[in-house]
Amino acid sequence: MTLYPQLLLPLALLVGCTRSEPDQAVPSSAPPPAFVDVALAAGLGRAHTGGGPDKGYIVEAKGGGSAVLDADGDGDLDIFWVNGATLESPDRGPGNALYRNDGALQFTDIAPAAGVTGAGWGMGSVAADYDNDGDTDIYVTCLQANQLFRNQGGQFAEVAARTHVNVTQWSTGAAFGDYDLDGDLDLYVADYVDFTAAAVQRLGTQWKGVPSFVGPLGLRPQQDHLLRNDDGVFVDVSDATGISAVAAGYGLGVVMTDIDTDGDADIYVANDSSPNFLFRNDGGRFVEIALSAHVSHGAMGNAQAGMGVAVGDYDADGNPDLLVTNFDDDYNTLYHNEGNGSFEDVSFSVGIAQPELPFVGFGAIFLDFDHDTRLDLFIANGHVYPQIDASGTNSTYAQSDHLYRNLGDGRFAPFPPSGASPFPPRVSRGAVAADFDNDGDLDLFVAHLNDHPALYRNDAAAGNWLGIGLVGNDSNRDGIGARVSVYSGGQRQTREAIRGSSFLSSEDPRLHFGLGQAAVVDSLTVHWPAGGIQRLLAVEVNHYLSLREP
């Protein structure tokens, strides 16, 4: 069982209420909510299956991933929602959902007709065009064999065994990226623990005096996989590229991103109770540098319980920063990229560490939710032990998600300023930000354990914006790995096209820029993975722009 440093501090929750006499109208001065959960009205009412309610085994506390994609090519974003199973029937389960976006925030589950219901106990998902045929495919990580659904004009065929990506270990996070710059997408798969229920005592340990499941410590960690894409069939190159040279960790969140801006994809892995990994790409071979880069541990030298990971340049200095969510009595870690191959843990100084101490973080997202040109932070929370409600501590099983607004001076503050979260307590896991209604701002889809998901419509954005979709030519079709910079209003913002992040999830394939009051983008520059540079001047705002690699 993991032992965490005792950093627990009291958290005051201030709740205000107004009381009035019957039938007496009292005008309200409260502003309208910034985010409104429209999931049930949108047709997203299916409940996740993730084992039993008391979570006697570690597998029952994991899962809850999703992927955002345009599955049918109609221009709006659909949702692939990963479902789990039970210990009684771990190889079956009720099946995944593919929620087709019918417009006006209405969705229809077409998974059976599309062929993506799947089988077994699903964990997470990442969506990308691995075969460069113009439509988006879906990879699903599972407790048993992973699955790859190849998109053939809106109909999917399961081809994992045929393409050699059916990893049979318990897999969790996954990310697509072109690590060898050959024009097609390779796949990194994080694996977790060697688990069989018969080998572990149910509720075999304690946390804060209450019964809890065993793990991850005490269970054997599993080795991650790097799978190289060779014309649509994958080859395990974990040994050849140096990935397997590192002792296995308890892998969960994964992101493939060019962390040192040298033009190729590096790999960062958030490990649960073991040191995190940062694999630097040195021309197709990888060197694990997390310790020397100061992103392997927390500030006190302890291995944290990494869950989810987000990447984004929150201070607009041109270098991508990393956020890792962690367990309670510990803090979520924001690693600032110093631009010299190392990072600094700035979690406490920027204001996001102390408020999160009583919470268990999972999903993690950088996003400009209010269009003020600065990347904000969303963190999805939810405990892993239902029994924690009876512990007599300030921990709870259901927890509120949190949004932090970037103040522009290097600090973050809870949003809204009152500090009361706009997101009701749930047991949150994976989270993605995407513009589901194509109105220009980023909404939030949050998966919940043993519950239906939330779809929070964004009603907070006020400024101008620009969305960019990429179509590769010499680069991979999705343009994954491209770095896009926009210059407007005297400010430069940079985003990288990635696929796979947060907690077991896959984000909006389009890049999103909040522009504040700028009425035009003065210049836009794309650095394509294949090496080409594309520039546009005087770009109109408030629309989605599709850019094809020359």
Side-chain angles (χ1 to χ4, degrees), residues 498-522:
I498 62 171
R499 211 69 90 244
S501 64
S502 186
F503 180 73
L504 318 187
S505 297
S506 185
E507 51 283 294
D508 192 330
R510 304 167 300 189
L511 300 177
H512 176 268
F513 295 85
L515 301 174
Q517 300 307 308
V520 67
V521 169
D522 300 311

Side-chain angles (χ1 to χ4, degrees), residues 75-91:
D76 51 26
L77 295 177
D78 312 302
I79 302 170
F80 180 75
W81 175 79
V82 182
N83 209 350
T86 63
L87 288 165
E88 292 73 24
S89 303
D91 57 342

Side-chain angles (χ1 to χ4, degrees), residues 32-38 367-370 376 378 403 415-416 422-424 433-434 441-445 455-461:
F35 288 88
V36 178
D37 186 0
V38 298
L367 75 160
D368 184 0
F369 80 93
D370 53 3
D376 312 296
F378 177 81
L403 183 62
F415 181 88
F423 311 106
D441 54 32
L442 291 173
D443 312 299
L444 294 164
F445 179 83
L455 177 58
Y456 296 111
R457 186 189 67 218
N458 185 346
D459 292 340

